[in-house]
Amino acid sequence: MTTLVVDNLCKSFGGLAALTDFSLSISTGQLHGLIGPNGAGKTTCFNLLTGVYAPDAGQILLNNKRLTGRRPSAITAAGVARTFQNVRLFKQLSVLDNVRIGCHLRARHSLLGALLRSPGHARDEKNILDESMRLLSRFGLADRAHQVASSLAYGDQRRLEIARALALEPQVLLLDEPAAGMNPSEKNQLSEFIREIRSQFNLTIILIEHHVPLVMGLCDRIAVLNFGKLIALGDPAQVRTDPAVIEAYLGSE
């Protein structure tokens, strides 16, 4: 079943076309790579998918429901979560509180219930705490739940950012350069970690990444952008040998 459909998206900034007639269809459970040179339009695509930017033309459908034109909060509630190229945690809050913030999107209590400390509010807060600790346990961070997020090592901050995104209970997870700043050993661990969370959380994942071996070894299908246009789409073997991709991005080596 197809989860996400992107149909002829276009976005320009002034006279510069950042994305032109970009279309993509991603099946449920697929791990899909998005690669290309710097400035190719990859992060612009993520910003369109999450409502940060409104497209000039085209549409986005999630499970046949239109996301185009909706606020970022509404798109998140519909089932799309993301991480960022530069880790964006609430660094002065605890590890636990970072995940609890994600869980609060699914809370059922009202503002009045929170102000009055109603029994329903107390139950919700208990459920949020329990779910947050379960996520931290899965990510190997439970023993650091009460540490300030900024005290974590860089790789653990990446894991925490993904845990917070998963607290939103997404159907589609967008990972923007998750391997940035990691050494080869950490990148190998990240690949296994992404495979595990796709399976455990029944996710469809779209991945932007410059480390080509990681993408080729991890993704089911890969889309290649150059100057805002899709120049190749296929499985890793097809993309690796595509003349347009070799010329624009991979190089003859």
Side-chain angles (χ1 to χ4, degrees), residues 119-130:
H121 167 76
R123 283 193 301 271
D124 268 359
E125 287 297 313
K126 175 65 164 54
N127 291 337
I128 286 169
L129 177 60
D130 290 346

Side-chain angles (χ1 to χ4, degrees), residues 155-227:
D156 288 334
Q157 289 190 27
R158 281 283 184 194
R159 293 168 75 87
L160 176 58
E161 189 181 33
I162 295 172
R164 185 181 62 188
L166 292 179
L168 299 167
E169 299 181 3
Q171 299 174 53
V172 179
L173 177 63
L174 312 180
L175 300 176
D176 193 348
E177 296 196 36
M182 292 186 175
N183 61 41
S185 175
E186 289 172 331
K187 288 175 182 176
N188 289 335
Q189 293 173 16
L190 177 69
S191 292
E192 291 304 315
F193 176 65
I194 291 173
R195 288 190 184 97
E196 288 173 8
I197 63 171
R198 173 175 65 163
S199 174
Q200 291 176 10
F201 293 90
N202 195 28
L203 292 169
T204 301
I205 297 176
I206 309 175
L207 170 77
I208 292 175
E209 184 51 60
H210 279 293
H211 187 65
V212 174
L214 185 149
V215 176
M216 294 292 177
L218 182 61
C219 294
D220 304 313
R221 288 176 65 78
I222 300 169
V224 187
L225 283 168
N226 192 34
F227 294 111

Side-chain angles (χ1 to χ4, degrees), residues 4-252:
L4 187 69
V5 174
V6 179
D7 184 28
N8 291 319
L9 278 191
C10 298
K11 182 64 180 178
S12 295
F13 299 96
L16 177 65
L19 206 63
T20 304
D21 294 328
F22 179 67
S23 296
L24 202 60
S25 180
I26 300 178
S27 299
T28 302
Q30 198 170 72
L31 211 166
H32 206 291
L34 186 59
I35 65 173
N38 287 328
K42 303 182 298 296
T43 298
T44 296
C45 178
F46 269 24
N47 286 336
L48 290 168
L49 291 176
T50 54
V52 175
Y53 300 151
D56 299 329
Q59 65 175 347
I60 304 160
L61 301 174
L62 178 66
N63 296 326
N64 294 319
K65 295 180 180 178
R66 186 179 173 91
L67 297 184
T68 321
R70 299 175 70 177
R71 298 188 308 275
S73 58
I75 291 173
T76 300
V80 180
R82 73 174 293 182
T83 66
F84 294 86
Q85 182 177 350
N86 299 312
V87 177
R88 295 189 188 179
L89 295 172
F90 300 104
K91 293 194 174 183
Q92 300 311 309
L93 296 181
S94 70
V95 170
L96 174 60
D97 283 343
N98 268 271
V99 179
R100 289 174 68 188
I101 285 170
C103 288
H104 267 282
L105 180 69
R106 304 297 177 187
R108 294 186 176 88
H109 58 256
S110 64
L111 176 60
L112 181 60
L115 291 172
L116 297 177
R117 299 286 178 177
S118 68
H121 167 76
R123 283 193 301 271
D124 268 359
E125 287 297 313
K126 175 65 164 54
N127 291 337
I128 286 169
L129 177 60
D130 290 346
E131 178 59 25
S132 298
M133 288 304 299
R134 278 194 293 270
L135 278 169
L136 290 177
S137 294
R138 284 188 174 188
F139 284 65
L141 295 170
D143 60 337
R144 284 165 281 180
H146 300 292
Q147 291 183 21
V148 176
S150 60
S151 70
L152 296 180
Y154 179 78
D156 288 334
Q157 289 190 27
R158 281 283 184 194
R159 293 168 75 87
L160 176 58
E161 189 181 33
I162 295 172
R164 185 181 62 188
L166 292 179
L168 299 167
E169 299 181 3
Q171 299 174 53
V172 179
L173 177 63
L174 312 180
L175 300 176
D176 193 348
E177 296 196 36
M182 292 186 175
N183 61 41
S185 175
E186 289 172 331
K187 288 175 182 176
N188 289 335
Q189 293 173 16
L190 177 69
S191 292
E192 291 304 315
F193 176 65
I194 291 173
R195 288 190 184 97
E196 288 173 8
I197 63 171
R198 173 175 65 163
S199 174
Q200 291 176 10
F201 293 90
N202 195 28
L203 292 169
T204 301
I205 297 176
I206 309 175
L207 170 77
I208 292 175
E209 184 51 60
H210 279 293
H211 187 65
V212 174
L214 185 149
V215 176
M216 294 292 177
L218 182 61
C219 294
D220 304 313
R221 288 176 65 78
I222 300 169
V224 187
L225 283 168
N226 192 34
F227 294 111
K229 295 183 178 180
L230 184 68
I231 61 170
L233 176 65
D235 64 38
Q238 291 172 317
V239 168
R240 187 185 294 113
T241 57
D242 190 295
V245 177
I246 293 171
E247 180 182 355
Y249 188 52
L250 298 181
S252 58

